[in-house]
Amino acid sequence: LESVHGGNNRSHEGITPLDQQDQLFTKAIEFPVKETQAWTEKIKRLRLLLTVKESAMDVPTNLDARRRISFFANSLFMSMPSAPKVRQMLPFSVLTPYYKEDVLFSSQALEEQNEDGVSILFYLQKIYPDEWKNFLERVDSKNEEELRETEQSEEELRLWASYRGQTLTRTVRGMMYYRQALVLQAFLDMARDDDLMEGFRAADLLSDESQLLTQCKAIADMKFTYVVSCQQYGIQKRSGDQRAQDILRLMTTYPSLRVAYIDEVEEPSQDRNKKIEKVYYSALVKAAVTKPDDPGQKLDQDIYRIKLPGNAMLGEGKPENQNHAIIFTRGEGLQTIDMNQEHYMEETLKMRNLLQEFLKKHDGVRYPSILGVREHIFTGSVSSLAWFMSNQETSFVTIGQRVLANPLRVRFHYGHPDIFDRLFHLTRGGVSKASKIINLSEDIFAGFNSTLREGNVTHHEYMQVGKGRDVGLNQISLFEAKIANGNGEQTLSRDVYRLGHRFDFFRMLSCYYTTIGFYFSTMITVWTVYVFLYGRLYLVLSGLDEGLATGKRFIHNEPLQVALASQSFVQLGFLMALPMMMEIGLERGFRTALSDFLLMQLQLASVFFTFSLGTKTHYYGTTLLHGGAEYRATGRGFVVFHAKFAENYRLYSRSHFVKGIELMILLIVYEIFGQSYRGAIAYIFITISMWFMVVTWLFAPFLFNPSGFEWQKIVDDWTDWNKWISNRGGIGVPPEKSWESWWEKEQEPLRLSGKRGIVLEIVLALRFFIYQYGLVYHLNITTHTKSVLVYCLSWVVIFVILVVMKTVSVGRRRFSAEFQLVFRLIKGLIFITFISIIIILIAIPHMTVQDIFVCILAFMPTGWGLLLIAQAIKPAVTSFWLWGSVKALARGYEIIMGLLLFTPIAFLAWFPFVSEFQTRMLFNQAFSRGLQISRILGGHKKDRAARNKE
């Protein structure tokens, strides 16, 4: 008998039962063949296949349709196991965790306009013009106004938009293709010639009368289960949240869809001291069959309801969400799908083949425990940044994971659409580790766990699943920050320690570089720049650099300059694009790869990758130093809006701006005190890549910010930043509203750090005192003395400045309200005294303008170092009543940094061509696909004017 449930027949591998073996002459050969209608239809199809001629008119105009057809046709020639009948295939489940993301775009959300007047619907119409035209044709409408006249068309419009965003509706539709594919394949397995002549669609129309189709659907439901773990569904349902209604609509549309959630209920307590206690249930629901005459009937129906010992959400949200729902899955395979993914009907037809990989020993020793498949990033056409990210991710999920699986054999699980051996992992700790902080990147720990327990992770290229990625710089940076934090926690975890001890030498090295080693090497690369520049600073200020450069042995240094030029070329981020070029070359030809590479460079891809270098370094290093990694929500919307200056400042101040200004000061000091004995060419070769890094870290967020150089936006940003920097914090004031709240939040890693982290933070801050120690002896007024009294006098100047700032701060609090005139007189006297001292120093010891500039370069880093030390020892500073002064000093530094960043941007905003260039650079890829960004950023005014006239 054929097994309906399938099974894992690994113990009988290689032995075919006698009743399934093909034997010669077991069936009588009838000749001539009887001419039936089915036989005639097959001959017609064969003749059509042999005589059809391809025409350019038959090629789809839609690029995504071409890609899907091309990949599906190519994948049929790849090595894949033969597909069993649906009755005999391995049953499997799909699990999707969901929190509070968009389920279905509402009509209001589609029409809601951002500050540029661009709505989601208008944006989608311009990005997908051919699909919008086809949609209007399907619903028999000529334009959007006619479309909105009927309620049914309005719902179709919501679905059309949701299928092109990163919504749960798109994901559910894609995963439910599995069921459609299994029903179709079961129909082909079981149908007779007469059923085939009627066709599958005809049988579907007669579903109430077709017993065959009923059997096919029953078999598909036995083989496939889809569970969406909607963590907040119970709360959303009770609060009347629209997302709960949209989830219920999905269950109604797809009756075989199941939703799991944590239900929090108040019940009478058995404890005498408590009247009511909270009880938690893990519930599984489906859409209920409602009756027209019973309007009060529930729209969802409980299938299982399991009482929990307490709140299940103790660790990280996503893994806990998966862990509580995994008991509701069935079968031997479990595919984990994120809610920003989608599937394609033609790819689901190959699921039977893919599941057969579980029955093969891929390395001759072990059966697979995780089957990896490739992804297609479908968000690459939105902007140039999205294109860079798409190419980078595509190279990782294709050629990268292919090499990791074979020959390196160090592929793990990376949160992609991998298929787990469900029974293997259920008995070995599950598919997610959920401990707080340490398991921030919960996906890869499933791969660590599987490998440590003698599992085998493979990768297969003949199936692909769609995946959405972040499309704006802020989204991308938050995502990379989360990944870098996760790798920092992996470095500290015992899982990586155990893998390093149990791998052989070559797998250990491969595992190192493909996981934490990549981030550690990135951090070492940036550290090398710091060590080089601080070493140069020491050589320049001590005079050794001049002695070495003017010596006879170092006069002829042309070979050194050639070497420096080549390494500078490599450091500009070109190597980051090499894996992308290889993947594009393998799939679409190396001519296309070269043209894409050149186009990416014209769109400043090197700026993007160099900026990402700073993101990875900062967050990975911070996690190693202090720990405290946290999940960072990136959002999955369409980023066509302008990010305000204050928002960019909050996000990149510590990770890029501070470090960029520090490197800039180092390069300026190196230029000032080394120019007399060093040629310009040598200086350019040595520092060109570092200047590129400085400019990138300081201005890339504004360069990749839509409408970043429009004058009106600049004015609004300045007003908003002034308001943010001057607002006082307090309990309940979010960081987005006040600089003080943001500044306190930025110091949270120090509060979580141990003594070792605090000591290292103080040691690292001591580097800022080197400037003052070296530069005070290079002033024009101190040229002829090397006494230590000069250095001591410089500290006296610093402390006098701090005392004056403290006096002004105290005076503002005590006298500004009642004695305004006295307070203004005090400030006037301080200013006159300062000017008088400067004039005296210029007149008597002949202090120069360069000396004033050098003093600023010497004292500003010292003050920043004092700030860092004060933040590290906050309890001691607070006990001496000095924390208010530290806060005032920090605010002053933030204002100075803001002015340094804002001034060049405001200057460039005066020139209209800069904004035009930025728009073209940001959205050039979308231009080639029919996106007219000028209409998006400016054409909305005409549309609104036309509507007002009507």
Side-chain angles (χ1 to χ4, degrees), residues 640-651:
V640 290
F641 58 85
H642 171 79
K644 292 186 177 297
F645 178 82
E647 181 181 348
N648 284 329
Y649 188 87
R650 287 191 295 270
L651 188 56

Side-chain angles (χ1 to χ4, degrees), residues 299 418 851 902:
L299 298 178
D418 295 349
D851 287 346
F902 202 87

Side-chain angles (χ1 to χ4, degrees), residues 744 747-754 758 870-875 883:
E744 294 286 350
Q747 299 170 40
E748 285 185 1
L750 292 172
R751 309 285 81 81
L752 301 172
S753 183
I758 296 296
Q871 292 172 14
I873 56 172
K874 180 180 178 180
W883 188 245

Side-chain angles (χ1 to χ4, degrees), residues 661-840:
I661 291 175
E662 179 184 357
L663 293 177
M664 182 176 68
I665 293 175
L666 285 168
L667 290 169
I668 290 174
V669 172
Y670 180 46
E671 164 66 12
I672 291 175
F673 296 103
Q675 61 183 353
S676 60
Y677 55 85
R678 181 199 359 88
I681 297 178
Y683 175 78
I684 291 174
F685 281 159
I686 291 174
T687 62
I688 181 64
S689 60
M690 299 171 194
W691 273 113
F692 180 79
M693 180 184 290
V694 167
V695 174
T696 297
W697 284 7
L698 291 179
F699 298 107
F702 313 106
L703 185 63
F704 291 118
N705 186 17
S707 305
F709 294 96
E710 287 190 9
W711 180 252
Q712 187 57 46
K713 296 288 177 62
I714 293 293
V715 173
D716 295 340
D717 286 357
W718 176 252
T719 304
D720 177 74
W721 189 75
N722 271 328
K723 182 180 178 181
W724 174 75
I725 202 77
S726 59
N727 280 351
R728 297 196 174 274
I731 299 175
V733 180
E736 295 80 15
K737 300 295 183 181
S738 167
W739 170 84
E740 289 187 7
S741 299
W742 169 81
W743 187 65
E744 294 286 350
K745 186 177 183 298
E746 286 295 309
Q747 299 170 40
E748 285 185 1
L750 292 172
R751 309 285 81 81
L752 301 172
S753 183
K755 293 182 179 180
R756 185 181 304 174
I758 296 296
V759 171
L760 285 174
E761 187 75 23
I762 295 173
V763 171
L764 290 174
L766 294 178
R767 72 183 186 272
F768 291 104
F769 300 143
I770 299 176
Y771 300 86
Q772 178 188 351
Y773 180 72
L775 290 176
V776 292
Y777 291 102
H778 283 74
L779 299 174
N780 189 47
I781 58 176
T782 60
T783 305
H784 305 291
T785 177
K786 300 299 180 185
S787 173
V788 72
L789 293 177
V790 174
Y791 184 60
C792 295
L793 184 61
S794 67
W795 275 105
V796 171
V797 172
I798 289 176
F799 283 116
V800 168
I801 294 173
L802 293 177
V803 169
V804 169
M805 291 180 61
K806 178 66 175 177
T807 303
V808 173
S809 177
V810 173
R812 181 181 289 109
R813 288 199 305 269
R814 295 189 177 183
F815 302 116
S816 60
E818 299 179 0
F819 304 98
Q820 293 186 9
L821 182 60
V822 175
F823 180 64
R824 291 180 180 180
L825 286 174
I826 293 174
K827 289 199 297 183
L829 288 174
I830 292 174
F831 178 74
I832 293 172
T833 304
F834 175 75
I835 296 297
S836 301
I837 293 173
I838 295 295
I839 294 174
I840 292 172

